[in-house]
Amino acid sequence: MKHIKSLLIAGLILMGLNVSAQNQTDMRLNEYLVENTNDFQDDFGQQNAWFELFNTSYGTVNIGGCYLSNDINNLQKYIIPKGDVLTAIKPRQHVLFWADEQPFRGTFHVNFTLAESDTIYFVSSDGRTIIDRIAVRKDIEPNVSVGRSQDGVGSNDGKGEGWQIMPNTSPSTNNAGVDAKSKSSIMAEQDPYGVLIAITAMSVVFLALIILYFVFKFTGRLAIRNQQTRSDIATEGKIETVKAEENTGEAIAAISTALYLYAVDNEAHDEESFQITMRHTDRSYSPWSSKIYTLRQAPQVKKN
Amino acid sequence: MSNLVQFWEYTGFANCNFQYLLMICIGLIFIYLAIKKDWEPMLLVPIGFGIIIGNIPLFPGLSVGVYEEGSVLNILYQGVRQGWYPPLIFLGIGAMTDFSALISNPKLLLIGAAAQFGIFGAYAIALLLGFTPAEAGAIGIIGGADGPTAIFLSSRLAPDLMGAIAVSAYSYMALVPVIQPPIMRLLTTEKERLIRMKTPRAVSPTEKKIFPIVGFLLTAFIVPSGIPLLGMLFFGNLIKESGVTRRLAETARGPLIDVITILIGITVGCSTQADKFLQWSSIKIFILGFLSFVIATTAGVAFVKFFNLFLKEGNKINPLIGNAGVSAVPDAARISNNVGLEYDRTNYLLMHAMGPNVAGVIGSAVAAGILLGFLA
């Protein structure tokens, strides 16, 4: 039994480790631009093709050690350097890579271009698992990007479900997705007087507590029935109906006080734990703590 | 001589102005009310002293102020700012709350739900006063009469208003004995105040053990955004009722909640620095906080009267326990009892009022979760 427990705990820990290692799977290719003649510039003042990754999760994901590629036969074409603090992508944030074939320019410059690419692959740090891929469209006009209509939403199998030609390029920022406006500002437009939210929220509060009401009404009935059955068994079938006298509030209060005082005085509990607690004795000497009785007898050395 | 001048410029006297003195006076009033009037001393003493600490005029850049990154007070304040003190308080509340009254008479849960009207009433009025929906949600939660929940929600929805919201919530919680009784008397008839409720049945230990598990699962599945508060509340109750984790329960309802109460009180007090606190919006928040308490109490009492229309004679609920639907535990329940005793010296409503009172804790946590889901 002990072994099974240990295995179970070890399994759960391993599952936990597995989950944390898979945070990279929350990353998505989010937008790309193939021909950049008059769009975003990099730190070197150059206009090159770019593509964007988006962290769909609500935790920071470090993509250091992951790979980017445009070749299915060489998924490890570009390794995103480890140890760069900028590769830790904050929740729901974007990171931009320049496809300029000039990796010596920094972490975010890959060693391939989009003009020569049919598909972009984002590959896990194991170098094998493709986390996301997107087929690159070449039939797009210069300075027009292709992206997900909502950040991170859509397929990751390269078929382009959820992708569209973007009305405006949006490198390193939202693709007009759900995060573009705060919930509060959406609510201000939809429900300026707070009536809808009040009705909805009160309905939910009532719903939650009504469900609890029904559940505990039901369990209460079960408990009463169970109690009745036990009582019947205790009387061995000889059920005597005793008409209880009308209890007054004072009587109940007096009984409760008496029981409480009894419990306090005797340190009684609602439910006995059937455990004995051995407390340290205040006396300095006791046969239980005496070294004389607990130590082995000292060997006697006889001197002749 | 120049050293003395420089020293003088560093002192609080040189940097003091009327606003700081006003805030220090408010802090002193809090301490006075706590010590002399015994109004929520556990909260008002730390908050009051915190207000004094936070309003000592400082020479900026010493890294000692609550808003200066890396200062001791700032580090302690992160529990408020990031919202992790409130769930720990809820853990302690769960470990000290006996839900028997609620389990034995589950229809009292609905009173706890009705009192949440205070939150949404204040939300609507706050919108009319020009607050954004997120700010209005954070202000409205004052009506839940639950300080930790107010801090938790405002830290997420309106961090800039958190100081005013927290102080307002705790102040009105302390003022529950003043605010609620007149409303209760106004809304009830002599006959209603004398209603005697059935003695609650004894609740079995098994039911008590089931309650936190089922209660959490049901509420959390409906409002997942309330998990931090609901999870800790029901977990605290489970360690209390399980019977095998007595040490954990004792720690949660004793030393842990005491430590967090000290930290939350002192840091919330510190956060009321005059330059950030003394603004027109703070005054509006105090007015809205008062209104939310009035609406919550009114809704609770009115709901019981309405509910009684559908209940048989003998099963009717005394509307004086309607006020307890706000989650100021156990003060609101105590007020039900005291007002009830004014009209019938033998009609003890405390145990009955504890039902809606603890239901109010659950209800306000659920409401906070909903607001968080809608507005965060």
Side-chain angles (χ1 to χ4, degrees):
Chain A
M1 192 63 189
K2 252 186 178 176
H3 291 298
I4 293 170
K5 271 186 191 170
S6 310
L7 280 172
L8 205 65
I9 291 165
L12 286 171
I13 291 168
L14 282 172
M15 277 169 69
L17 288 175
N18 200 24
V19 167
S20 64
Q22 294 201 350
N23 282 340
Q24 293 160 350
T25 58
D26 293 322
M27 296 302 297
R28 289 286 176 276
L29 290 157
N30 204 49
E31 189 179 352
Y32 65 85
L33 183 132
V34 180
E35 200 174 343
N36 181 359
T37 58
N38 192 23
D39 197 68
F40 204 49
Q41 289 182 350
D42 65 12
D43 292 343
F44 297 86
Q46 304 286 310
Q47 287 163 329
N48 286 301
W50 51 260
F51 59 93
E52 179 188 80
L53 288 174
F54 176 67
N55 176 5
T56 61
S57 76
Y58 289 86
T60 298
V61 176
N62 197 331
I63 56 170
C66 293
Y67 298 89
L68 289 161
S69 178
N70 62 348
D71 183 358
I72 187 73
N73 298 314
N74 180 14
L75 289 176
Q76 300 180 13
K77 192 164 188 174
Y78 178 75
I79 181 168
I80 301 168
K82 284 184 179 176
D84 186 341
V85 290
L86 297 175
T87 59
I89 315 302
K90 296 277 184 193
R92 311 287 295 169
Q93 295 301 307
H94 310 76
V95 61
L96 197 73
F97 284 88
W98 295 96
D100 54 4
E101 220 173 2
Q102 294 178 358
F104 49 85
R105 284 191 165 175
T107 301
F108 301 103
H109 293 259
V110 301
N111 55 358
F112 56 87
T113 65
L114 294 192
E116 65 177 20
S117 309
D118 292 326
T119 304
I120 312 169
Y121 299 93
F122 176 63
V123 182
S124 164
S125 53
D126 64 9
R128 297 186 305 274
T129 312
I130 298 170
I131 294 170
D132 195 7
R133 69 175 90 180
I134 184 65
V136 178
R137 289 177 62 173
K138 305 278 179 58
D139 56 337
I140 311 293
E141 288 179 26
N143 305 313
V144 174
S145 66
V146 181
R148 295 179 188 269
S149 44
Q150 285 193 353
D151 284 326
V153 177
S155 67
N156 62 341
D157 55 5
K159 289 178 183 168
E161 190 188 319
W163 288 70
Q164 64 171 18
I165 294 172
M166 302 295 287
N168 300 299
T169 60
S170 55
S172 290
T173 188
N174 301 99
N175 294 3
V178 282
D179 294 342
K181 269 187 177 179
S182 72
K183 284 183 185 173
S184 179
S185 54
I186 294 168
M187 197 55 75
E189 286 169 14
Q190 293 176 347
D191 184 23
Y193 301 108
V195 177
L196 284 178
I197 196 171
I199 293 170
T200 314
M202 280 308 295
S203 308
V204 176
V205 173
F206 266 101
L207 174 73
L209 296 185
I210 284 171
I211 292 173
L212 268 183
Y213 161 67
F214 280 114
V215 168
F216 284 98
K217 198 174 178 190
F218 174 71
T219 51
R221 278 184 186 167
L222 282 181
I224 292 166
R225 197 177 298 167
N226 193 24
Q227 211 172 357
Q228 186 64 45
T229 313
R230 280 187 187 176
S231 162
D232 290 350
I233 292 166
T235 52
E236 294 175 358
K238 295 171 188 172
I239 303 165
E240 291 177 26
T241 310
V242 179
K243 196 172 182 181
E245 286 179 23
E246 193 70 27
N247 283 326
T248 63
E250 289 94 330
I252 292 166
I255 293 165
S256 305
T257 310
L259 283 171
Y260 175 75
L261 290 173
Y262 172 80
V264 170
D265 289 346
N266 294 284
E267 293 184 350
H269 312 126
D270 288 347
E271 260 188 297
E272 287 302 330
S273 62
F274 299 104
Q275 288 173 353
I276 297 170
T277 305
M278 295 179 78
R279 291 193 174 131
H280 181 72
T281 177
D282 290 335
R283 286 185 298 169
S284 55
Y285 170 77
S286 151
W288 292 99
S289 61
S290 169
K291 287 181 182 173
I292 299 167
Y293 295 105
T294 52
L295 284 176
R296 283 201 298 179
Q297 204 171 11
Q300 289 178 352
V301 181
K302 288 183 180 176
K303 291 179 181 173
N304 294 322
Chain B
M1 189 63 189
S2 64
N3 282 350
L4 279 175
V5 171
Q6 197 177 10
F7 172 74
W8 170 253
E9 283 169 359
Y10 283 150
T11 63
F13 296 108
N15 294 297
C16 191
N17 62 31
F18 169 73
Q19 290 181 318
Y20 288 114
L21 293 177
L22 179 65
M23 287 306 297
I24 289 171
C25 287
I26 293 172
L28 290 172
I29 292 168
F30 272 42
I31 294 171
Y32 169 80
L33 291 175
I35 295 172
K36 199 74 181 171
K37 303 279 181 187
D38 202 27
W39 285 357
E40 294 278 359
M42 304 285 188
L43 298 171
L44 291 192
V45 168
I47 291 176
F49 203 77
I51 292 173
I52 297 173
I53 294 174
N55 284 284
I56 300 296
L58 283 174
F59 184 79
L62 296 175
S63 276
V64 290
V66 74
Y67 292 112
E68 290 183 283
E69 205 168 310
S71 72
V72 174
L73 288 173
N74 181 264
I75 291 165
L76 296 177
Y77 185 53
Q78 292 311 307
V80 175
R81 189 86 188 182
Q82 305 292 333
W84 51 267
Y85 286 156
L88 290 175
I89 294 263
F90 262 60
L91 177 71
I93 293 171
M96 64 172 69
T97 303
D98 186 352
F99 283 99
S100 301
L102 198 62
I103 300 168
S104 65
N105 192 1
K107 62 175 173 277
L108 300 178
L109 273 162
L110 302 179
I111 305 172
Q116 307 312 319
F117 270 115
I119 295 173
F120 300 102
Y123 171 79
I125 300 170
L127 285 179
L128 288 176
L129 288 179
F131 287 101
T132 66
E135 290 170 341
I139 295 166
I141 201 71
I142 298 171
D146 196 333
T149 308
I151 290 171
F152 178 77
L153 198 67
S154 55
S155 70
R156 298 257 179 308
L157 295 182
D160 293 340
L161 303 179
M162 188 169 53
I165 290 170
V167 172
S168 173
Y170 279 119
S171 306
Y172 288 125
M173 280 166 69
L175 289 172
V176 155
V178 180
I179 298 169
Q180 288 195 323
I183 301 167
M184 293 157 69
R185 291 189 192 103
L186 187 72
L187 295 175
T188 50
T189 62
E190 186 76 29
K191 192 183 165 193
E192 285 171 333
R193 290 175 212 139
L194 298 175
I195 291 175
R196 278 178 176 267
M197 293 173 66
K198 268 187 183 173
T199 311
R201 70 174 174 83
V203 175
S204 70
T206 312
E207 284 176 276
K208 287 185 185 178
K209 288 181 186 87
I210 291 170
F211 181 80
I213 298 168
V214 175
F216 173 66
L217 286 173
L218 288 177
T219 50
F221 267 90
I222 294 170
V223 192
S225 45
I227 283 175
L229 298 176
L230 292 167
M232 287 304 211
L233 177 74
F234 285 116
F235 171 62
N237 190 244
L238 181 63
I239 58 176
K240 173 184 180 284
E241 301 297 354
S242 69
V244 291
T245 49
R246 185 169 298 165
R247 269 173 50 200
L248 300 186
E250 278 170 4
T251 304
R253 66 173 163 247
L256 180 67
I257 199 168
D258 288 348
V259 168
I260 301 296
T261 304
I262 291 168
L263 293 177
I264 209 168
I266 204 91
T267 50
V268 161
C270 284
S271 70
T272 61
Q273 274 185 6
D275 53 336
K276 300 197 188 310
F277 189 79
L278 286 179
Q279 291 172 3
W280 178 232
S281 62
S282 301
I283 296 167
K284 286 201 270 189
I285 288 168
F286 270 82
I287 295 167
L288 286 165
F290 175 76
L291 286 176
S292 67
F293 266 66
V294 171
I295 297 169
T297 309
T298 307
V301 176
F303 178 78
V304 176
K305 285 166 72 92
F306 174 73
F307 202 24
N308 274 343
L309 298 175
F310 305 96
L311 296 175
K312 289 177 195 163
E313 204 60 47
N315 278 340
K316 290 202 186 293
I317 302 169
N318 191 318
L320 289 179
I321 69 167
N323 73 300
V326 299
S327 57
V329 181
D331 290 8
R334 237 182 259 154
I335 289 156
S336 307
N337 191 53
N338 293 346
V339 177
L341 288 175
E342 284 175 20
Y343 296 94
D344 181 350
R345 289 170 62 86
T346 60
N347 194 7
Y348 295 93
L349 294 172
L350 186 64
M351 267 310 278
H352 303 293
M354 279 307 289
N357 212 185
V358 293
V361 178
I362 301 170
S364 62
V366 170
I370 296 166
L371 286 171
L372 201 61
F374 274 124
L375 303 171

